[in-house]
Amino acid sequence: MAKHGADEPSCRSGSLDGEGRTSEDRSLLHQRLAVQELIDTEVSYLHMLQLCASDIRSRLQQLPQGDLDVLFSNIDDIIKVNSRFLHDLQETASKKEEQVQLVGNLFLEFQEELEQVYKVYCASYDQALLLVDTYRKEPELQRHIQGIIEAVVPQAGSSGLSFLLVIPLQRITRYPLLLQKILENTVPDASAYPVLQRAVSALQDVNTNINEYKMRKEVASKYTKVEQLTLRERLARINTHTLSKKTTRLSQMLKQEAGLIPRTEDKEFDDLEERFQWVSLCVTELKNNVAAYLDNLQTFLCFRPHEYSLDIPEGPAVQYCNLARDLQLEAFLTFKQRLEGLVWQPLCSLAKALLGPQNLIKKRLDKLLDFERLEEKLLEVGSVTYQEEAARHTYQALNSLLVAELPQFNQLVVQWLGQILRTFMILQRDLAKQVLQRAEGSMAQLPHHHVPEPAFRKLVEDALGRTNNQLRSFQETFEKVLPPPTTQPLLPGSERQVQALLSRYGPGKLYQVTSNISGTGTLDLTLPRGQIVALLQNKDTKGNSSRWLVDTGGHRGYVPAGKLQLYHVVPSAEELRRQVGLNTDPRCLTPEPSPAPAPSIPTVNQVIAVYPFVARSSHEVSLQAGQPVTILEAQDKKGNPEWSLVEVNGQTGYVPSGFLARAPSPVLWGWSLPS
């Protein structure tokens, strides 16, 4: 009995050790089964993806390519990532002792890649389901699709496409569960345990990030739609809720402008938006320039001088016509087609791609005003409604999406722009090379065709230098000579208008139009050359000093400042008579002794032209500076003293009175260009 009692404790401890070893062996077995389940299901999953990408997609070619891109999204990228993942996963089987830890490290290594490829697929999943619903409304198409899927994947059943499309979503959400199962069967003090914990947490974060990305994409797709609505459709959308939102936002904005409440500062987004606006401006300017280039090219192609008969049977003229015809029908036409296809169309697509982000940035500003108001309410009240909380999340989703994707978008647009510019330069280079090749025969007839390129360049530079010196010499001499006035004569019948402007604004505010002006804008004026206007303001409402606000005496509007010059008031009738010696002052009628007039001295109605004048109608006569003129009447038929009826070289007509003056000596004076 004593011996039996002494052996009892040792038997109990042996039994406990056996149970512990059995429990450990059972956990280790379940752990290995969980790892094997991970590998086996990964093999089946990858095989199903390859069937979708190869067999099923290739048999659905009757669907539009755009539909196939939506349905299968980036499944090729998923196959590449999961193929490498499976290969590394299978290699861990050879290391039984370290396999669990290697599996955990493998998931940590592939964390970012899995998130990148699966978030793209998940974001387009809802759009793919919409396509599946549209196919179900077409029985014949639905039967065809279902037959293909059942032939390749019989287990899909009646679910068809929906069964296949959901597989990647199910797989990425199952990874944390598989890892959790391995973790549960791992001893806590094992070296693999913390690694598996980090792997489980990492894959949970991956799924959380995918859900947030999907939500941001849904918000973005809602606000990036650019709708072309008529005024009636816009008015039909206005309701009490819309007016309330816009009124609240306007009130919030006015408070910020007045400094009553602080404005939310986001330096990171502001820098990104500034960069985006700069890129958008570059795209717009380049598009406008290319459009003008194409218009000019079309105008150039419409001009065909080689089609005119020159009555020259042979020689360089015939050779030129053949070359011009060849270039017109082939080289330039091909260049225009390539320019439209390789530059203009991509540029239009790029400009269209900017509309979505632009609309998204505008919506962000509206949502920011809502967000700021709700933040104030949270501080004051401590809570918000469900709808208000959704509005806060909408702004946060929009802001996160823009901050995350605007840098990449800006970079892609800059790269796209650079590629378009490089393509444009290559097209220009190819055109120049093609023209030179076709013109080699004509170039052989040039006087300097045998001169090497460096010597020819030196020859051209010398010729340009001599021409430049001649122009500089002419300019220096010209500046020493009295130039003719640029002031144009007044339009007939505009004397009363000028007098009204003069009495209202004074002589310092009067300007004259130097060339015809055609107004293009709503507030722009259309004025003829010679019109007198009064300056009201030397800039427009935006501070642009190249557009001046003027008054014509009847209308007010903007005109280009470069087509106006200060108007010098012409002498009155009395001043004109005094100038030509016809003063009617009675005190001047007293005869004074004077020598007998010589034939070379002009009479009282004999004057000279101080400035040249070009006749614009049959009622006017042209003048040259220094030319003797006989005044027949010192006014026109309406009594306007600014025009005088004169006789010049036997021709009679009207000239501006301000262009005439009494000769101070028998010698005529004037100015002429240097010889």
Side-chain angles (χ1 to χ4, degrees):
M1 291 291 293
K3 187 176 180 179
H4 176 75
D7 293 340
E8 187 176 353
S10 61
C11 293
R12 187 181 298 113
S13 63
S15 175
L16 290 174
D17 292 340
E19 291 178 0
R21 284 194 298 271
T22 303
S23 176
E24 289 181 5
D25 293 342
R26 187 183 302 110
S27 297
L28 183 60
L29 176 61
H30 290 167
Q31 182 190 75
R32 290 177 179 175
L33 290 175
V35 172
Q36 191 61 41
E37 180 186 2
L38 172 64
I39 297 175
D40 293 342
T41 54
E42 188 69 20
V43 172
S44 301
Y45 167 65
L46 188 59
H47 176 66
M48 189 66 69
L49 289 183
Q50 290 169 343
L51 288 178
C52 291
S54 57
D55 295 358
I56 296 178
R57 183 169 56 181
S58 61
R59 299 186 186 187
L60 293 177
Q61 292 302 316
Q62 72 177 69
L63 296 179
Q65 185 60 41
D67 287 10
L68 294 176
D69 293 340
V70 172
L71 289 172
F72 296 96
S73 187
N74 63 330
I75 194 172
D76 295 324
D77 297 332
I78 295 177
I79 291 175
K80 291 178 182 178
V81 173
N82 280 85
S83 297
R84 290 190 292 108
F85 177 73
L86 177 60
H87 177 267
D88 295 347
L89 197 61
Q90 290 173 333
E91 286 188 347
T92 62
S94 61
K95 302 176 182 179
K96 294 293 184 180
E97 300 296 331
E98 303 175 359
Q99 185 179 18
V100 176
Q101 186 171 349
L102 291 175
V103 168
N105 288 327
L106 191 60
F107 272 101
L108 293 175
E109 179 184 345
F110 277 82
Q111 175 186 356
E112 292 186 4
E113 288 189 76
L114 291 173
E115 180 178 334
Q116 289 298 323
V117 295
Y118 278 94
K119 73 178 183 180
V120 175
Y121 185 89
C122 294
S124 61
Y125 175 71
D126 290 341
Q127 190 175 359
L129 290 183
L130 292 177
L131 282 177
V132 173
D133 290 338
T134 59
Y135 299 153
R136 288 172 179 167
K137 296 177 182 178
E138 302 180 24
E140 184 177 350
L141 178 61
Q142 176 63 17
R143 283 194 297 270
H144 175 71
I145 295 174
Q146 188 66 25
I148 292 174
I149 295 174
E150 289 180 354
V152 178
V153 187
Q155 62 268 34
S158 60
S159 299
L161 271 177
S162 301
F163 173 82
L164 300 176
L165 296 179
V166 79
I167 290 177
L169 275 71
Q170 293 174 337
R171 187 60 182 174
I172 192 63
T173 55
R174 193 177 178 188
Y175 282 139
L177 302 177
L178 293 171
L179 282 173
Q180 184 66 35
K181 189 174 182 180
I182 299 174
L183 179 64
E184 291 174 354
N185 292 282
T186 303
V187 181
D189 57 355
S191 60
Y193 194 85
V195 177
L196 288 173
Q197 282 183 319
R198 292 199 304 271
V200 172
S201 178
L203 267 294
Q204 289 173 347
D205 291 341
V206 166
N207 282 274
T208 301
N209 295 337
I210 290 175
N211 288 332
E212 291 180 356
Y213 179 81
K214 186 172 181 294
M215 183 187 68
R216 293 199 299 265
K217 280 295 186 180
E218 290 173 354
V219 173
S221 63
K222 175 182 177 182
Y223 293 114
T224 51
K225 295 178 182 178
V226 181
E227 298 178 314
Q228 302 294 334
L229 301 177
T230 63
L231 180 59
R232 177 174 296 180
E233 291 172 339
R234 292 179 183 275
L235 292 176
R237 291 192 174 189
I238 297 177
N239 51 39
T240 307
H241 178 65
T242 305
L243 292 176
S244 176
K245 282 199 308 183
K246 294 187 179 298
T247 304
T248 305
R249 290 170 183 170
L250 180 60
S251 174
Q252 187 79 5
M253 186 180 298
L254 292 177
K255 289 179 182 179
Q256 291 178 354
E257 294 294 334
L260 300 178
I261 57 176
R263 188 194 304 269
T264 302
E265 297 292 339
D266 192 341
K267 183 69 167 57
E268 182 180 9
F269 176 79
D270 292 341
D271 293 341
L272 290 174
E273 183 188 7
E274 182 179 1
R275 174 79 171 175
F276 173 78
Q277 298 299 345
W278 176 81
V279 170
S280 300
L281 180 62
C282 291
V283 173
T284 303
E285 290 294 328
L286 181 59
K287 183 181 177 183
N288 294 337
N289 290 334
V290 173
Y293 185 92
L294 286 172
D295 290 340
N296 294 334
L297 181 61
Q298 182 62 36
T299 304
F300 170 75
L301 293 177
C302 293
F303 180 67
R304 299 181 176 88
H306 54 274
E307 295 182 355
Y308 294 95
S309 177
L310 302 178
D311 294 332
I312 302 177
E314 57 186 10
V318 176
Q319 190 174 6
Y320 163 76
C321 289
N322 294 334
L323 175 62
R325 187 180 299 106
D326 186 23
L327 294 176
Q328 191 89 11
L329 297 178
E330 294 187 19
F332 292 136
L333 194 60
T334 303
F335 170 74
K336 181 175 180 292
Q337 294 173 351
R338 296 182 67 194
L339 186 65
E340 291 175 344
L342 300 177
V343 175
W344 175 247
Q345 292 180 2
L347 196 55
C348 291
S349 300
L350 181 58
K352 187 177 181 180
L354 294 173
L355 298 178
Q358 287 173 348
N359 199 32
L360 205 59
I361 290 174
K362 293 178 182 178
K363 289 296 182 182
R364 177 196 173 274
L365 177 58
D366 293 340
K367 300 303 178 183
L368 175 59
L369 295 173
D370 297 340
F371 178 80
E372 291 172 336
R373 179 180 59 82
L374 295 175
E375 288 296 303
E376 294 177 10
K377 183 178 179 180
L378 270 177
L379 292 176
E380 295 175 358
V381 182
S383 63
V384 292
T385 64
Y386 176 79
Q387 290 80 4
E388 291 172 337
E389 186 65 26
R392 292 179 71 251
H393 289 322
T394 299
Y395 164 73
Q396 292 170 342
L398 278 177
N399 190 67
S400 300
L401 180 68
L402 288 171
V403 171
E405 299 196 0
L406 264 187
Q408 302 174 16
F409 184 82
N410 290 338
Q411 184 178 1
L412 288 175
V413 173
V414 171
Q415 293 176 357
W416 202 345
L417 266 179
Q419 185 61 42
I420 290 174
L421 288 173
R422 284 190 291 270
T423 303
F424 181 74
M425 290 186 289
I426 291 173
L427 292 179
Q428 294 277 11
R429 183 194 63 189
D430 293 347
L431 176 65
K433 185 185 297 184
Q434 189 176 6
V435 171
L436 287 176
Q437 289 175 351
R438 295 172 183 264
E440 284 180 352
S442 301
M443 292 172 60
Q445 299 182 4
L446 295 175
H448 304 291
H449 72 279
H450 61 281
V451 179
E453 183 177 348
F456 181 75
R457 187 184 299 274
K458 181 67 169 56
L459 184 67
V460 173
E461 291 177 352
D462 293 342
L464 292 176
R466 290 193 299 269
T467 304
N468 187 37
N469 293 333
Q470 293 175 357
L471 289 174
R472 187 181 297 108
S473 176
F474 174 79
Q475 180 183 2
E476 294 174 354
T477 308
F478 184 81
E479 290 175 351
K480 300 176 183 178
V481 182
L482 177 66
T486 57
T487 303
Q488 301 296 325
L490 288 177
L491 299 174
S494 62
E495 299 81 17
R496 293 183 180 178
Q497 179 188 9
V498 175
Q499 290 299 327
L501 293 175
L502 183 63
S503 61
R504 184 173 181 180
Y505 297 102
K509 292 287 187 179
L510 297 192
Y511 284 79
Q512 190 172 33
V513 179
T514 58
S515 61
N516 294 333
I517 298 175
S518 297
T520 57
T522 306
L523 300 178
D524 293 344
L525 295 177
T526 298
L527 302 176
R529 182 171 65 95
Q531 174 92 23
I532 303 298
V533 296
L535 176 63
L536 298 178
Q537 192 172 5
N538 59 355
K539 59 184 178 180
D540 60 11
T541 55
K542 297 182 179 180
N544 183 9
S545 58
S546 63
R547 295 175 74 238
W548 287 3
L549 180 63
V550 300
D551 182 8
T552 63
H555 300 282
R556 294 185 177 186
Y558 291 99
V559 295
K563 294 189 177 183
L564 297 178
Q565 69 173 6
L566 191 63
Y567 175 68
H568 300 283
V569 181
V570 297
S572 62
E574 295 182 358
E575 292 174 346
L576 179 64
R577 295 190 187 96
R578 184 164 53 253
Q579 187 179 25
V580 299
L582 297 178
N583 195 332
T584 57
D585 192 345
R587 293 174 293 179
C588 297
L589 297 178
T590 305
E592 296 182 359
S594 60
S600 60
I601 301 177
T603 60
V604 291
N605 62 341
Q606 189 73 27
V607 295
I608 62 170
V610 183
Y611 306 114
F613 173 70
V614 179
R616 300 169 299 183
S617 65
S618 59
H619 302 290
E620 300 173 354
V621 65
S622 300
L623 298 176
Q624 294 182 357
Q627 188 175 17
V629 179
T630 301
I631 295 180
L632 302 179
E633 294 182 11
Q635 58 187 12
D636 61 9
K637 295 181 179 180
K638 297 182 179 180
N640 179 18
E642 296 182 359
W643 291 84
S644 297
L645 181 64
V646 300
E647 181 181 354
V648 182
N649 293 337
Q651 296 181 352
T652 303
Y654 287 96
V655 298
S657 302
F659 281 44
L660 306 175
R662 183 164 56 90
S665 64
V667 182
L668 298 178
W669 65 278
W671 69 279
S672 60
L673 293 175
S675 60

